[in-house]
Amino acid sequence: MKPIRNILDSIKPHVQKGGKFHAFHSFYDSIETLFFVPDHVTTKGSHIRDGVDMKRTMFMVVLAMVPALLFGMWNVGNLHFQANGVTDFTLMEAFWYGFLKVLPIIIVSYAVGLGIEIAFAQGRGHEVNEGFFVSGMLIPLVLPVTTPLWMVALAVAFAVIFGKEVFGGTGMNIVNPALLARAFLFFAYPAYLSGDTVWIAESADAISGATPLAVLTAGQHLDLSLMGMLVGNYAGSIGESSTIAILIGAAFLLYTGVASWKVMFSFFIGGLTMGLLLNGLSAQFPENAYLALPAYQHLLIGGFAFGGVFMITDPVSATQTETGKWIYGFLAGFIAIIVRVLNPAYPEGVMLAILFMNVFAPLIDHYVIEANIKRRLKRAAVAK
Amino acid sequence: MSTVKNEREPLFSAKNIRLMTTPLNKENPITKQVLGICSALAVTVKVEPAIVMAISVMAVMAIGNLVISLLRNSIPNRIRIIVQLVVIAALVILVDQVLKAYSYDVSKQLSVFVGLIITNCIIMGRFEAFAMGNKPWPSFLDGLGNAAGYGWILIAVAVARELFGSGTIMGMTIIPEGFYKFGYVNNGLMILPPMALIVVAVIIWIQRARNKDMVEEN
């Protein structure tokens, strides 16, 4: 730490007011606070300063994503070797191959996102904040590994500018920026975000890469064991396939108190409820293979677990009231399964459902608060 | 009784010129008054229909404003909306027939939206706000100006959407073949209506960044 401090101290005079590089002061700030706890001291009144500031919170979420990321990297290599008929590859070979494929996506995501954030912060005279820390990691995890890098850059730019900065930056966004990036790509370049050729890097034959959701949408029987769903060594977006890795992240998020367990829990309950309702319909419509899929399996395939743990728990775009969190999570899970099963054009409904509920979150909050006011007024009237 | 009225104003006095130019920028129907958004979403996928739409609206609006202004003293106040609608409807039917006769393909592309010029909020808005209370000549100019303000936004949005959505402008390929070889792909979202809103929003953003006094306080 000492050498870093020395370097930072030697730069500091240049970026302070009157220094030669004052224009870069916000960039300097962000680097300094990344390594050291800020030394701001409260001067007036009694305020409490907690060490858990936004940067630490964001970092917790990124840490929680690491299992899914590492598994995703291995899975990229695993699927690649399998698709090319290689059978005797070691764990490290698969991981290294995946690492080299995924790393550029992550670098592009962070470089573009942070670049835009810094530019806006500089223009507004704000400090650079850490809002993009999580989004920058979420975006690569919800994309297929074959997504061209320029598309990643474009989607990140779109999401950061139109999802976040126009609303006032971190903490002011209406929808989840990472999902917005994915939705942008999904509608702008559908051939690169869906279908069965995009999920495996450099496969020899393009047939083998259908995701479980695509198989089900096509009305075929899903040939995947429960264990396979949990482990997740099948085709899909980089970070979404392994339910176990995601659950490790979920446990970490809940233990540290970063994510709301109410939102997370009710999301899964919502999905389960809709799954059960649809199971009841399956006898009448045998041609839709989705309807017959056991409800709990819905929670294990596709992006459901990933969305439920990392996407919907975003505290900014979610509801703020405690009752609202139950409603919000439940409806998102509910709608996700509706879209997934009943709309063949969109094999995965989680993204759309969460974005949809993001927009409704303020409305839910509004009615929860109104109801509370009414209830308390009634109580006051009785007491009189 | 009558006193001497102010002497005749020149046809293109500074005031009349301003009637035509302010809607292009500071009082733009789309970006400032936020009228006529529906057709800005619907007909801006390609440039050609957008241009035809802009011209059609200009014809309806300028002539309509003129007619309403001529009639303004004889229209009973309580049924003025109906009278205005009759005038617009008559003009729109004329425009529609002319389009069908002279450019049938574009007319088919615009399909229902020519008919929907009747409901274009800008036209009713200008009738109510301007033509009902002003003389014919300024009303005519106001109609031209507002239609032009509407039209240039429409065409600007259409250029952006056609260029990035289909790689063409007016049907001519603009994006070079080499780009596609390098992996460039047309943006499918540009063809969908939501992107029109975002392009309009970008125009609003640029416009307000340039004129700070247009920024609304709230």
Side-chain angles (χ1 to χ4, degrees):
Chain A
M1 277 322 207
K2 192 78 186 153
I4 301 175
R5 185 73 258 177
N6 289 340
I7 295 172
L8 286 170
D9 280 342
S10 68
I11 301 173
K12 198 161 195 169
H14 298 293
V15 295
Q16 276 168 341
K17 254 205 179 96
K20 222 191 294 178
F21 300 107
H22 183 237
F24 297 103
H25 70 100
S26 47
F27 182 63
Y28 172 84
D29 272 352
S30 69
I31 299 293
E32 190 187 16
T33 49
L34 184 65
F35 289 107
F36 298 100
V37 175
D39 56 355
H40 308 305
V41 181
T42 314
T43 48
K44 251 188 199 167
S46 56
H47 297 288
I48 299 170
R49 274 192 182 277
D50 195 339
V52 184
D53 58 358
M54 182 153 65
K55 192 164 278 183
R56 304 295 176 262
T57 314
M58 294 284 183
F59 202 68
M60 295 291 180
V61 185
V62 174
L63 272 186
M65 277 186 267
V66 166
L69 176 70
L70 293 181
F71 182 88
M73 285 176 171
W74 170 79
N75 197 26
V76 166
N78 171 38
L79 290 172
H80 163 77
F81 287 128
Q82 275 183 5
N84 289 308
V86 182
T87 47
D88 54 338
F89 57 91
T90 63
L91 182 110
M92 276 321 283
E93 272 173 3
F95 178 77
W96 185 244
Y97 180 85
F99 178 75
L100 291 181
K101 286 283 167 197
V102 176
L103 192 65
I105 303 182
I106 297 177
I107 292 174
V108 167
S109 163
Y110 271 117
V112 173
L114 290 177
I116 294 172
E117 288 251 322
I118 290 173
F120 268 91
Q122 202 79 62
R124 290 175 170 153
H126 291 179
E127 282 176 36
V128 175
N129 56 36
E130 300 71 32
F132 193 70
F133 245 48
V134 170
S135 308
M137 186 57 93
L138 277 173
I139 291 170
L141 288 184
V142 294
L143 295 178
V145 67
T146 54
T147 317
L149 292 180
W150 68 269
M151 284 186 192
V152 177
L154 191 66
V156 169
F158 180 85
V160 172
I161 294 175
F162 290 104
K164 208 158 105 181
E165 294 301 341
V166 293
F167 294 111
T170 306
M172 314 289 270
N173 46 308
I174 293 174
V175 298
N176 187 328
L179 274 183
L180 191 67
R182 191 181 198 282
F184 175 82
L185 286 181
F186 184 81
F187 287 105
Y189 308 106
Y192 290 79
L193 261 274
S194 49
D196 50 11
T197 58
V198 300
W199 308 103
I200 298 175
E202 296 169 19
S203 73
D205 46 5
I207 329 153
S208 52
T211 62
L213 297 177
V215 172
L216 283 163
T217 310
Q220 292 155 358
H221 178 68
L222 183 61
D223 187 24
L224 191 62
S225 68
L226 187 60
M227 204 53 211
M229 289 180 189
L230 280 172
V231 174
N233 52 348
Y234 53 78
S237 297
I238 295 166
E240 71 168 15
S241 60
S242 169
T243 312
I244 289 180
I246 292 167
L247 286 180
I248 295 172
F252 182 77
L253 283 181
L254 293 178
Y255 175 72
T256 53
V258 171
S260 157
W261 67 272
K262 290 174 185 168
V263 172
M264 216 187 269
F265 184 67
S266 57
F267 183 74
F268 286 98
I269 295 292
L272 206 59
T273 311
M274 191 63 216
L276 288 172
L277 285 177
L278 290 171
N279 280 351
L281 282 176
S282 65
Q284 271 127 337
F285 306 98
E287 65 274 12
N288 191 336
Y290 249 150
L291 288 175
L293 188 75
Y296 68 92
Q297 292 190 7
H298 267 302
L299 312 186
L300 303 178
I301 55 173
F304 199 90
F306 192 87
V309 171
F310 294 114
M311 290 296 188
I312 196 154
T313 50
D314 168 22
V316 177
S317 55
T319 45
Q320 308 296 318
T321 53
E322 296 303 309
T323 320
K325 283 177 184 164
W326 290 105
I327 304 170
Y328 171 77
F330 184 85
L331 282 179
F334 199 79
I335 296 171
I337 302 297
I338 295 184
V339 177
R340 183 187 271 190
V341 174
L342 300 180
N343 189 342
Y346 303 133
E348 181 54 292
V350 174
M351 166 185 85
L352 299 167
I354 297 178
L355 283 175
F356 187 69
M357 288 315 293
N358 281 169
V359 176
F360 276 89
L363 190 71
I364 296 173
D365 274 340
H366 173 78
Y367 280 109
V368 167
I369 292 170
E370 287 286 302
N372 196 30
I373 292 172
K374 249 184 222 154
R375 203 177 58 242
R376 297 190 63 165
L377 271 181
K378 221 180 258 167
R379 203 187 296 155
V382 169
K384 187 174 60 176
Chain B
M1 283 292 276
S2 68
T3 53
V4 182
K5 284 274 171 197
N6 49 343
E7 62 269 33
R8 275 185 86 80
E9 232 182 315
L11 277 186
F12 290 99
S13 66
K15 205 177 99 211
N16 284 349
I17 294 288
R18 219 174 304 128
L19 283 178
M20 292 229 291
T21 52
T22 52
L24 294 182
N25 187 10
K26 288 211 164 156
E27 286 299 324
N28 192 286
I30 292 185
T31 63
K32 178 72 185 178
Q33 306 172 30
V34 197
L35 297 172
I37 292 287
C38 345
S39 51
L41 305 189
V43 299
T44 52
V45 176
K46 294 254 177 329
V47 175
E48 199 185 358
I51 291 176
V52 174
M53 186 72 179
I55 295 171
S56 311
V57 168
M58 189 177 277
V60 172
M61 200 136 139
I63 300 171
N65 250 3
L66 182 70
V67 173
I68 290 291
S69 178
L70 286 171
L71 294 174
R72 71 183 188 281
N73 291 327
S74 49
I75 299 177
N77 200 30
R78 300 178 65 175
I79 59 160
R80 66 184 193 284
I81 301 281
I82 299 170
V83 175
Q84 288 167 8
L85 271 178
V86 170
V87 171
I88 304 175
L91 289 167
V92 167
I93 290 167
L94 278 178
V95 166
D96 196 21
Q97 295 302 319
V98 169
L99 280 185
K100 274 190 184 141
Y102 292 102
S103 64
Y104 187 65
D105 288 337
V106 180
S107 155
K108 275 184 84 171
Q109 272 185 53
L110 286 171
S111 67
V112 69
F113 290 102
V114 176
L116 283 180
I117 294 177
I118 297 174
T119 59
N120 192 323
C121 340
I122 300 174
I123 300 181
M124 288 292 277
R126 290 328 290 176
F127 283 9
E128 277 287 292
F130 199 88
M132 288 298 286
N134 284 285
K135 290 187 178 155
W137 176 245
S139 298
F140 180 75
L141 293 181
D142 180 78
L144 278 185
N146 275 286
Y150 166 82
W152 84 257
I153 300 281
L154 215 62
I155 293 165
V157 174
V159 166
R161 287 182 75 191
E162 188 174 348
L163 181 61
F164 295 112
S166 322
T168 58
I169 284 179
M170 296 285 286
M172 285 180 299
T173 311
I174 298 289
I175 308 260
E177 197 62 28
F179 275 41
Y180 293 100
K181 288 210 185 84
F182 271 109
Y184 178 82
V185 188
N186 287 329
N187 189 323
L189 194 59
M190 275 289 180
I191 300 179
L192 301 173
M195 214 54 190
L197 271 184
I198 290 174
V199 177
V200 171
V202 170
I203 294 177
I204 291 178
W205 186 2
I206 296 171
Q207 202 180 19
R208 270 156 231 224
R210 290 170 59 112
N211 316 303
K212 291 285 181 207
D213 53 328
M214 280 178 74
V215 179
E216 289 91 349
E217 296 293 330
N218 59 350

